[in-house]
């Protein structure tokens, strides 16, 4: 049985440790899986430096597993650290290093990357963390290639995720890698979450459609464009729909969104294609046309650039 050790500590939130325990401990939960699909088999252990910890909100948790159990696990998962400005204890750092020397899989969620970084296991690797902490992680540990864009980074035996909810994406990715697409999809259905949420953190930092602009004309033009993605839309037409000259429209659009109209339009067309890839059997060529791309080649180019995977590979995450 593959052992997953989840770190627990005073002052922690139950969300990240809970989502990991839910996903990796699903074989112990009631409820059937789909016919012919076996639940993933993991043994989950909540490990702490002391036998009793106080969680955010006042709950008290007692556990029989300590850092020795964490160091001996097949997968070690570190949720967000309590304070990114404080170094982890020497005992925790050593436990992570022992696990690393044994060849264990090391996983962090959100700011848990700082604990892995302190142990030196991220040196020379690509990693991510919550976008709020990305600059701090990069400054403090320049040996790490910090990428603030993705929801998670799989560097082989060491995996890191972005903000708290991105831990769901990473844990599902691990299940998918260990047990295949069908099992991961069943876990996602049980949790009522997307089996594969492609894209990155940037979409959660800035809204692609501003709710308020100087006079509402930019937002009105964008709303019109979203309703006509299947038709050719020119820059001049967008400017006309917003009752502006081309030059004023470009200036006001950049001020409101930090982007260009064409770049924004391409992003929206790619986003519109996701539901069709997930839930329909339409050929890629038809999907490309339905969301307004001139050709499947153009669609694939922009899809890969934005989603970091191909339309076909994205679709395969929802089948099987």
């Amino acid at each position: 049985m593959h052992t997953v050790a989840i770190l627990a500590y005073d002052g922690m939130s139950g969300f990240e440790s809970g989502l990991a325990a839910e996903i990796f401990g699903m074989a112990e939960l009631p409820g059937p899986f789909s016919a012919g699909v076996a639940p993933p088999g993991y043994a989950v252990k909540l490990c702490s430096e002391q036998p009793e910890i106080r969680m955010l909100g006042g709950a008290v948790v007692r556990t029989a597993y300590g850092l020795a159990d964490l160091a001996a696990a097949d997968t070690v998962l570190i949720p967000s650290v309590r304070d990114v400005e404080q170094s982890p204890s020497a005992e925790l750092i050593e436990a992570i290093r022992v696990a690393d020397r044994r060849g264990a899989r090391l996983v962090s969620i959100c700011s848990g990357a700082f604990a892995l970084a302190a142990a030196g296991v991220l040196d020379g690797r690509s990693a991510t963390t919550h976008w709020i902490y990305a600059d701090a992680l990069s400054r403090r540990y320049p040996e790490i290639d910090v990428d603030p864009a993705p929801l998670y980074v799989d560097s082989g035996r060491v995996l890191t995720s972005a903000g708290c909810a991105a831990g769901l994406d990473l844990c599902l990715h691990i299940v998918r890698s260990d047990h295949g697409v069908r099992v991961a999809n069943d876990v996602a259905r049980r949790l009522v979450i997307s089996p594969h949420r492609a894209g990155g953190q940037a979409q959660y930092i800035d809204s692609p459609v501003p709710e308020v602009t100087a006079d509402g004309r930019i937002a009105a033009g964008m709303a019109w464009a979203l309703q006509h993605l299947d038709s050719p839309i020119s820059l001049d037409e967008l400017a006309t729909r917003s009752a502006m000259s081309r030059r004023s429209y470009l200036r006001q659009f950049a001020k409101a969104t930090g982007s260009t109209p064409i770049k924004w339009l391409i992003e929206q067309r790619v986003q519109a294609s996701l539901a069709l890839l997930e839930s329909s059997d339409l050929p890629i060529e038809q999907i490309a046309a339905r969301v307004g791309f001139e050709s499947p080649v153009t669609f694939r180019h922009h899809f890969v650039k934005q989603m970091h995977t191909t339309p076909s590979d994205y679709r395969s995450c929802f089948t099987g």
Side-chain angles (χ1 to χ4, degrees):
M1 182 73 74
H2 186 106
T3 303
V4 177
I6 303 170
L7 178 68
Y9 55 89
D10 265 336
M12 70 180 294
S13 162
F15 178 68
E16 294 169 34
S17 60
L19 72 86
E22 177 90 6
I23 290 176
F24 294 117
M26 192 156 286
E28 301 179 30
L29 298 176
F33 272 65
S34 298
V37 178
Y42 300 99
V44 178
K45 295 182 177 181
L46 193 66
C47 302
S48 178
E49 294 187 50
Q50 56 273 341
E52 183 176 292
I53 62 166
R54 293 185 178 275
M55 300 179 67
L56 191 66
V60 176
V61 175
R62 296 181 179 87
T63 178
Y65 302 110
L67 292 184
D69 299 286
L70 184 138
D74 299 302
T75 293
V76 173
L77 190 145
I78 311 295
S80 295
V81 297
R82 183 174 184 177
D83 185 351
V84 298
E85 299 299 329
Q86 293 183 355
S87 296
S89 70
E91 292 78 11
L92 175 58
I93 289 176
E94 179 59 21
I96 294 173
R97 288 174 175 170
V98 169
D100 182 47
R101 290 194 292 268
R102 289 181 43 256
R105 179 165 54 197
L106 306 175
V107 181
S108 69
I109 297 176
C110 194
S111 61
F114 283 81
L116 296 185
V121 300
L122 294 181
D123 290 355
R125 299 179 185 269
S126 179
T128 194
T129 185
H130 195 294
W131 59 271
I132 289 176
Y133 304 122
D135 286 344
L137 183 65
S138 184
R139 286 195 306 270
R140 195 177 310 172
Y141 302 100
E143 301 85 0
I144 304 172
D145 178 16
V146 179
D147 186 351
L151 294 174
Y152 59 83
V153 171
D154 182 343
S155 292
R157 203 168 44 79
V158 182
L159 304 93
T160 52
S161 87
C164 302
L168 286 165
D169 301 278
L170 179 53
C171 290
L172 273 179
H173 168 72
I174 291 172
V175 173
R176 188 181 300 114
S177 300
D178 289 350
H179 299 281
V181 170
R182 293 191 66 194
V183 173
N185 284 357
D186 252 37
V187 171
R189 292 188 189 101
R190 289 279 296 273
L191 295 172
V192 197
I193 60 174
S194 171
H196 180 78
R197 191 165 56 114
Q201 296 191 73
Q203 59 189 302
Y204 303 103
I205 301 171
D206 295 312
S207 174
V209 182
E211 294 184 3
V212 179
T213 62
D215 56 11
R217 291 178 294 171
I218 295 292
M222 295 168 84
W224 174 85
L226 290 175
Q227 295 174 0
H228 297 83
L229 289 177
D230 58 337
S231 304
I233 300 174
S234 67
L235 178 58
D236 287 334
E237 187 167 18
L238 285 170
T240 299
R241 292 282 174 178
S242 298
M244 296 182 186
S245 68
R246 180 189 180 104
R247 183 175 179 180
S248 294
Y249 179 72
L250 284 170
R251 184 173 63 253
Q252 293 299 324
F253 193 97
K255 182 180 179 181
T257 69
S259 184
T260 67
I262 299 304
K263 181 179 178 182
W264 174 84
L265 189 58
I266 290 171
E267 290 172 350
Q268 302 314 305
R269 284 179 161 147
V270 169
Q271 289 298 311
S273 73
L274 301 184
L276 295 173
L277 290 168
E278 294 169 12
S279 60
S280 80
D281 295 325
L282 290 173
I284 299 297
E285 294 78 5
Q286 289 187 28
I287 292 177
R290 286 197 179 193
V291 297
F293 285 103
E294 295 180 355
S295 71
V297 174
T298 304
F299 172 48
R300 187 182 190 280
H301 168 77
H302 289 297
F303 193 97
V304 171
K305 186 176 181 180
Q306 185 171 329
M307 306 302 293
H308 307 291
T309 186
T310 66
S312 297
D313 286 345
Y314 180 87
R315 167 175 269 174
S316 69
C317 293
F318 299 86
T319 61

